Amino acid sequence: MRLDVQVLGKNVAALYRERDDYVLKYNAHANAADFVSLTMPVRDEAWRWPRDLHPFFRQNLPEGYLLNLIREQFGPLLDGTDLSLLAVVGAMGIGRVTVTPEGVAPGTELEALDVQHILHGDNTAEHFSQLVREYARAAISGAVPKFIAPDRQADSETMAMPLGKPTIRTSRHIVKGSDDSTPFLGFNEFYSMRVLERLGVAKVARTQMSDDGRALIVERFDVDADGLPAYGVEDMCGLLGLPPHEKYNSTTEKMLNAARAYLLDRDSVRLELEQLAWHLLSNYVVRNADCHTKNVALFYTSVDDVAFTPVYDIVTTQAYPRFAANPPGLPIDGRKTWAAGKSLERFFNTRMGIAPRHYAQMVEALCDSAVSVGHELIEAARNEPQWHTVAKQMLHAWDDGMASLRSPKKSLQFKGLKPAIEAAGFSAPEPAEKTREVIGRSPLLGKR
């Protein structure tokens, strides 16, 4: 099987298997700007990867729930390799690269979707699973139910564009749902992201929550205003050369070192490191144990403007008893603990150039924001009783997160969420389940 690889709709390379190697071979007419990945610039010699697809091509392959649906629907087209899976889903995904069977032009025949039907419609598990099934043919990673569908408005605009423009039918949105182990995940992620977003200090993906709190519409940052591919996107898992199932098998230090290799604009490096710093700190405040190497990424239009993407996928995992005992997804200074103490401050200072005083200011800004958004959570749960349990769990998790970052000697003078929690009449948090399970990691994998 041979696949064509396109960059912004231009056919630039072939992807195929040769004995035990997977091979990316650029076409003779490809120029330097047509690189598929930061790790694989254009050259005459082929790029080979042993035994499996190159990490770049694996970064957006479906996982978990979506992968099972694709196997159900497209089983006859799959031969058990990731190459055949990429042939099915590669025509539509995140970033500027598309992959299709040899001789097939990029594009999809999926029916356009009006996101208003998600925001104001039925997002129960049964109905949402039907939507995911309908739009399963897209390259998007992640363990929770999600999909990309051509946007109805974007589709009509694309059809009216002048000849010569790319005509890949895509979308300006990613649609994410909930499942039984993470109820009202849209509600959770919307308000968890809001803790950082409302400060206006870092780039954050724009989101909209459905009326029922079950679904989340995420505005894509890799496309232009017409919903057409504009940016390359590479997550740190791929840049570190790791397969997706090893997304937790790294460290924050390694991730930072890998990113710095591509941040070439010295004038903007300080700003980019601060972007990452806000992202990392936010995870500690809201207790998001699912920040791994696939949830931090770089984007670019060329090798000269590489930057961290807007922050995405921040969820209060501690709100769900099944995941409440999980530590941070990536260690710092060799430790995975929420009580990071001086090690986190030292990492920011020595590795990212953020002085202790500035670090303390960042912590307090996020804590103040968590208190403000916490009051919004309380009001939302008062108006919609079905959100009461997840809101209660989130509030307790945030209060724990704030306390673990602040100095015990000084914490008495800072306000937390306990008074608001008590005033709202919330009970103690539900206890964590004893069986420790890490989001995205199969319990069938052998122990390290």
Side-chain angles (χ1 to χ4, degrees), residues 209-358:
M209 183 183 76
S210 64
D211 293 341
D212 59 10
R214 291 187 171 94
L216 191 74
I217 304 293
V218 183
E219 194 168 304
R220 290 173 57 178
F221 45 73
D222 62 309
V223 299
D224 62 19
D226 296 312
L228 299 173
Y231 292 89
V233 178
E234 301 193 45
D235 63 41
M236 298 311 304
C237 188
L239 290 173
L240 285 163
L242 299 173
H245 66 269
E246 293 188 20
K247 59 192 175 186
Y248 295 95
N249 191 20
S250 189
T251 67
T252 309
E253 289 85 351
K254 288 180 180 178
M255 184 175 68
L256 175 60
N257 289 340
R260 292 189 77 136
Y262 301 103
L263 301 175
L264 303 180
D265 186 347
R266 293 185 178 182
D267 294 334
S268 66
V269 167
R270 182 184 63 81
L271 294 175
E272 291 306 316
L273 294 181
E274 190 158 307
Q275 166 79 15
L276 178 62
W278 283 110
H279 187 175
L280 296 177
L281 269 182
S282 296
N283 292 312
Y284 280 83
V285 171
V286 304
R287 287 294 173 91
N288 173 31
D290 204 36
C291 181
H292 45 68
T293 53
K294 289 190 68 60
N295 284 345
V296 180
L298 302 177
F299 74 152
Y300 52 81
T301 60
S302 73
V303 294
D304 298 320
D305 63 359
V306 179
F308 283 107
T309 66
V311 175
Y312 59 92
D313 279 4
I314 292 184
V315 176
T316 302
T317 55
Q318 189 173 308
Y320 302 112
R322 183 176 178 182
F323 307 114
N326 289 356
L330 295 173
I332 287 180
D333 199 20
R335 301 169 65 220
K336 281 189 175 185
T337 174
W338 294 118
K342 287 292 183 180
S343 61
L344 189 59
E345 179 184 307
R346 184 168 56 250
F347 174 84
F348 274 53
N349 187 20
T350 60
R351 298 298 187 104
M352 305 177 76
I354 295 174
R357 183 174 181 179
H358 184 36

Side-chain angles (χ1 to χ4, degrees), residues 370-379 382 388 391-392 395-396 398-399 402 415-427:
V371 171
S372 296
V373 179
H375 283 91
E376 295 177 16
L377 269 182
I378 292 170
E379 186 63 25
R382 183 179 293 121
H388 182 277
K392 176 190 74 172
L395 290 165
H396 282 293
W398 294 4
D399 200 55
M402 290 187 283
K415 62 180 180 179
L417 278 165
K418 278 188 174 61
I421 292 172
E422 293 173 358
F426 286 114
S427 60

